[in-house]
């Protein structure tokens, strides 16, 4: 479906090269994170792996002082023993401050909003399934966006830390609650340059008209190119609580609470089915004139790729559709989702044989000749995912599936092979350049001691202008920018109504009667 309720900020859960997640209808709402897909948390939030072994219900360990003398854990081990710091308490809600907003800046080009590359620390506590395995094994099996040569170079350049100590050897075996930090050179995909328009603001809520292509909050490869960061950086609207979510490619009404109390009150209304949602979309072919209700259950095929389908084993859901217009080729349809399943509107329309006209997933040839109509998919889930990935890989549009090049690519090289294709000389040169650049950063930092700044890290980067990095593979590529039209999907959240509020956004241009297909 196009939206899903949010209950709090999402924590980082990886330390490799970042990769997108599909829209934001899955991820934290399910409580699951695909391996190697990190998400940054707010200030003071030390990201904690969702499946790390945590004894307390809120994801934190009891402080040593609270355990009593008999059960208190030693903070310092014997000589040579690795000291593992306890997890820090996670803060609820979305909380980003000026130091985060100052990490980098925007620029606009070709109708796109772009983020200048910047350095970023991915942080995570050791996942339960990593315990007893070496860093070499973890990087080789779960962080395949980069070859092992990259991580070898990162170790030699001092970019990888275990319990805040530089990693010396990737063969080190991980222990429960180990804390890892990986400094990476981060590139974010571009989004549309269309501004985020404020529809309403009062003491309780902020309501915006979200453009297509912009994620609601930091997820995967997106951080600054998100609604949360744009509102914080350009509108000084901070500490917001998303009340619902829209897929990244979906536009329209998006609501935020200004306080946790307001957030809980509206979520209570949602749980009591007091919130009415109305969407509009443009679909393939001539949609029936009479009202259509679809109650097909929906099953998640892959959380990582972000794909669902109708299946008897899926979760029950219900959508109501009404045609508004037909231009001889496509129809504009009003949609009322009565439940909140992932991709519900898109999957139900596909099942009815009228997928959204430019839906890059559910109107794909990968589903077979009938494109999933009536739930007929003449292939296994594995074959479907393989074909979807292959199609978008050929189009150089893996971002649509929220994947990076190393994820689920057919015929991907085995990243556990020794040191990849990089020659020894090339590797030595990369490490030397990285060490030299990192030294320049530290020198710049020392020169700036005593100068009041918002963010020390941001200032270091600005001083040495580090938009390129010798270890960064993305710096060596010149990706083809999408056109602004490629970033628009014809699905729009038109209206959200509760017991004491109603917010509407303008009808998008592609839904008007005089719109012409190109």
């Amino acid at each position: 479906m196009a939206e899903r309720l949010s209950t709090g900020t999402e924590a980082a859960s990886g330390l490799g090269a970042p990769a997108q997640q599909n829209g934001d209808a899955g991820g934290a709402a399910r409580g699951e994170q695909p391996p190697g897909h990190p998400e940054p948390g707010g200030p003071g939030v030390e990201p904690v792996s969702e499946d790390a072994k945590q004894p307390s219900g809120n994801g934190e360990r009891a402080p040593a002082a609270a355990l009593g003398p008999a059960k208190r854990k030693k903070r310092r081990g014997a000589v040579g023993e690795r000291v593992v710091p306890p997890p820090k308490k996670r803060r609820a809600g979305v909380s980003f401050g000026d130091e985060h907003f100052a990490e980098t800046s925007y620029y606009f080009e070709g109708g796109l909003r772009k983020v200048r590359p910047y350095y970023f620390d991915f942080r995570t506590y050791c996942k339960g399934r990593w315990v007893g395995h070496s860093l070499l094994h973890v990087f080789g099996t779960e962080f395949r966006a980069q070859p092992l040569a990259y991580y070898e170079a990162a170790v030699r350049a001092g970019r990888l830390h275990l319990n805040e100590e530089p990693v010396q050897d990737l063969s080190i075996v991980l222990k429960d609650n180990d804390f890892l930090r990986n400094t990476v050179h981060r590139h974010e995909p571009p989004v549309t340059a269309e501004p985020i328009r404020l529809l309403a603001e009062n003491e309780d809520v902020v309501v915006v008209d979200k453009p297509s292509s912009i994620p609601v909050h930091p997820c995967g490869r997106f951080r600054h190119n998100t609604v949360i960061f744009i509102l914080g950086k350009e509108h000084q609207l901070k500490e917001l609580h998303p009340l619902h979510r829209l897929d990244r490619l979906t536009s329209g009404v998006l609501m935020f609470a200004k306080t946790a109390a307001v957030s809980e009150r509206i979520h209570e209304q949602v749980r009591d089915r007091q919130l009415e949602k109305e969407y509009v979309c443009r679909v393939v072919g001539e949609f029936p004139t009479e009202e259509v209700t679809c109650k097909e259950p929906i099953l998640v095929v892959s959380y990582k790729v972000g794909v669902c389908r109708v299946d008897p084993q899926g979760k029950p859901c219900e959508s109501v559709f009404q045609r508004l217009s037909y231009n001889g080729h496509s129809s504009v349809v009003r949609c009322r989702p009565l439940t909140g399943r992932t991709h519900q509107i898109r999957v139900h329309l596909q099942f009815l044989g009228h997928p959204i006209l430019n839906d890059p997933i559910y109107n794909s040839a990968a589903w077979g000749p009938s494109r999933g109509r009536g739930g007929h998919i003449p292939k296994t889930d594995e074959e479907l995912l393989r074909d979807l990935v292959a199609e978008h890989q050929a189009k150089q549009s893996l971002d649509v599936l929220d994947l990076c090049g190393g994820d689920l690519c057919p015929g991907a090289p085995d990243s556990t092979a020794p040191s990849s294709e990089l020659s020894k000389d090339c590797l030595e040169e990369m490490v030397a350049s990285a060490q030299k650049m990192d030294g320049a950063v530290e020198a710049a930092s020392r020169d700036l001691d005593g100068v009041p700044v918002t963010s020390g890290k941001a200032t270091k980067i600005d001083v040495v202008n580090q938009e390129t990095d010798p270890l960064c593979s993305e710096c060596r590529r010149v990706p083809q920018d999408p056109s602004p039209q490629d970033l628009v999907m014809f699905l729009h959240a038109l209206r959200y109504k509760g017991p004491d509020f109603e917010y509407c956004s303008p009808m998008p241009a592609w839904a008007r009667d005089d719109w012409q297909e190109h």
Side-chain angles (χ1 to χ4, degrees):
M1 119 155 220
E3 63 85 29
R4 188 179 178 93
L5 297 176
S6 166
T7 56
T9 192
E10 291 167 282
S13 59
L15 60 150
Q20 297 166 237
Q21 291 181 341
N22 188 40
D24 36 40
R30 295 185 303 269
E32 299 191 19
Q33 295 296 338
H37 286 56
E39 298 185 8
V45 179
E46 290 298 345
V48 181
S49 166
E50 294 294 339
D51 59 349
K53 298 178 181 178
Q54 300 289 356
S56 60
N58 63 356
E60 59 176 303
R61 288 186 182 274
L67 296 176
K71 297 183 179 179
R72 186 177 300 152
K73 286 193 174 182
K74 292 175 63 177
R75 294 306 309 269
R76 293 285 173 185
V79 176
E81 182 179 343
R82 190 158 77 240
V83 176
V84 180
K88 295 182 181 179
K89 185 174 181 179
R90 298 175 65 184
R91 290 173 55 186
V94 175
S95 182
F96 296 102
D98 291 337
E99 68 272 24
H100 302 96
F101 300 144
E103 290 166 339
T104 185
S105 59
Y106 300 116
Y107 66 102
F108 296 86
E109 184 177 73
L112 301 174
R113 176 190 292 268
K114 297 184 176 182
V115 174
R116 300 186 190 281
Y118 58 101
Y119 285 99
F120 183 79
D121 283 348
F122 281 107
R123 305 160 184 255
T124 186
Y125 283 95
C126 179
K127 296 179 183 291
R129 64 180 178 273
W130 298 353
V131 173
H133 292 286
S134 68
L135 274 174
L136 185 71
H137 172 84
V138 171
F139 285 133
T141 56
E142 299 210 21
F143 298 96
R144 301 187 59 164
Q146 298 283 359
L148 283 181
Y150 166 82
Y151 297 107
E152 293 169 355
V155 165
R156 297 177 61 184
R159 303 259 179 106
L160 186 62
H161 290 74
L162 179 64
N163 302 322
E164 296 303 342
E165 295 292 333
V167 171
Q168 304 296 331
D169 189 345
L170 287 176
S171 64
I172 189 169
V173 175
L174 295 173
K175 296 181 180 180
D176 186 24
N177 205 32
D178 270 344
F179 178 69
L180 292 98
R181 176 167 60 89
N182 183 27
T183 302
V184 300
H185 196 238
R186 189 164 182 172
H187 295 244
E188 296 192 25
V191 298
T192 178
E194 184 181 344
I196 298 175
R197 292 181 291 273
L198 295 181
L199 297 175
E201 182 183 1
N202 55 41
E203 62 183 8
D204 290 335
V205 299
V206 173
V207 185
V208 303
D209 190 358
K210 183 185 94 69
S212 183
S213 81
I214 306 179
V216 175
H217 50 67
C219 56
R221 299 184 67 196
F222 293 91
R223 180 170 170 86
H224 290 264
N225 262 347
T226 61
V227 176
I228 285 285
F229 265 68
I230 294 171
L231 289 179
K233 294 170 72 157
E234 296 186 349
H235 298 272
Q236 288 69 56
L237 292 168
K238 304 166 187 177
E239 306 292 326
L240 299 177
H241 302 253
L243 293 172
H244 63 100
R245 304 181 187 180
L246 299 177
D247 286 345
R248 181 166 58 85
L249 294 179
T250 302
S251 57
V253 175
L254 182 61
M255 300 170 55
F256 297 91
K258 288 188 173 181
T259 67
V262 172
S263 175
E264 177 56 31
R265 187 186 77 215
I266 295 180
H267 277 104
E268 186 68 30
Q269 295 173 357
V270 172
R271 288 189 289 269
D272 293 340
R273 298 285 184 96
Q274 297 180 41
L275 184 64
E276 297 178 16
K277 299 164 285 186
E278 182 178 322
Y279 291 72
V280 65
C281 61
R282 183 172 286 277
V283 305
V284 171
E286 184 176 2
F287 199 85
T289 55
E290 69 276 7
E291 185 176 271
V292 176
T293 298
C294 185
K295 297 183 179 181
E296 297 295 330
I298 290 178
L299 179 73
V300 177
V301 176
S302 169
Y303 288 112
K304 186 166 189 175
V305 183
V307 177
C308 304
R309 61 174 171 82
V310 163
D311 189 277
Q313 302 302 314
K315 294 182 179 180
C317 51
E318 182 175 358
S319 308
V320 179
F321 302 100
Q322 178 66 61
R323 191 178 90 183
L324 299 180
S325 65
Y326 174 59
N327 66 3
H329 301 282
S330 60
S331 305
V332 175
V333 177
R334 177 187 288 117
C335 318
R336 289 191 297 115
L338 304 185
T339 48
R341 305 304 178 198
T342 303
H343 293 181
Q344 179 176 321
I345 291 174
R346 298 164 68 181
V347 173
H348 275 175
L349 285 169
Q350 181 197 46
F351 179 86
L352 295 173
H354 298 280
I356 292 173
L357 189 64
N358 61 347
D359 191 322
I361 296 178
Y362 299 102
N363 192 21
S364 164
W367 295 85
S370 62
R371 302 205 173 200
R373 180 170 187 165
H376 179 64
I377 307 168
K379 56 183 70 176
T380 65
D381 287 349
E382 291 73 19
E383 291 170 338
L384 171 63
L385 293 173
R386 179 200 64 199
D387 294 346
L388 276 169
V389 171
E391 177 181 313
H392 286 280
Q393 191 176 26
K395 295 177 181 177
Q396 296 186 341
S397 59
L398 284 174
D399 279 347
V400 170
L401 298 178
D402 296 328
L403 297 175
C404 60
D407 292 325
L408 293 181
C409 294
D414 180 6
S415 67
T416 61
S419 282
S420 82
E421 315 105 14
L422 294 173
S423 69
K424 183 176 180 180
D425 289 343
C426 179
L427 184 61
E428 294 286 350
E429 183 177 345
M430 289 167 58
V431 172
S433 297
Q435 290 172 334
K436 182 177 180 181
M437 180 171 287
D438 291 347
V441 173
E442 293 304 319
S445 177
R446 288 192 297 271
D447 291 343
L448 286 167
D449 284 346
V451 178
V453 294
T454 302
S455 168
K457 178 180 284 189
T459 304
K460 295 178 197 175
I461 295 171
D462 290 341
V463 168
V464 294
N465 190 27
Q466 295 187 32
E467 290 190 27
T468 60
D469 179 83
L471 295 189
C472 178
S473 59
E474 290 197 61
C475 286
R476 298 190 292 274
R477 292 197 297 262
V478 183
Q480 182 177 354
D481 284 337
S483 69
Q485 293 75 24
D486 293 336
L487 298 178
V488 176
M489 185 173 68
F490 298 156
L491 178 60
H492 181 81
L494 195 63
R495 181 175 68 97
Y496 273 64
K497 181 180 179 181
D500 54 357
F501 64 84
E502 180 174 0
Y503 300 108
C504 300
S505 63
M507 190 75 80
W510 49 259
R512 297 172 186 159
D513 292 340
D514 59 353
W515 182 80
Q516 297 294 321
E517 298 178 39
H518 299 291

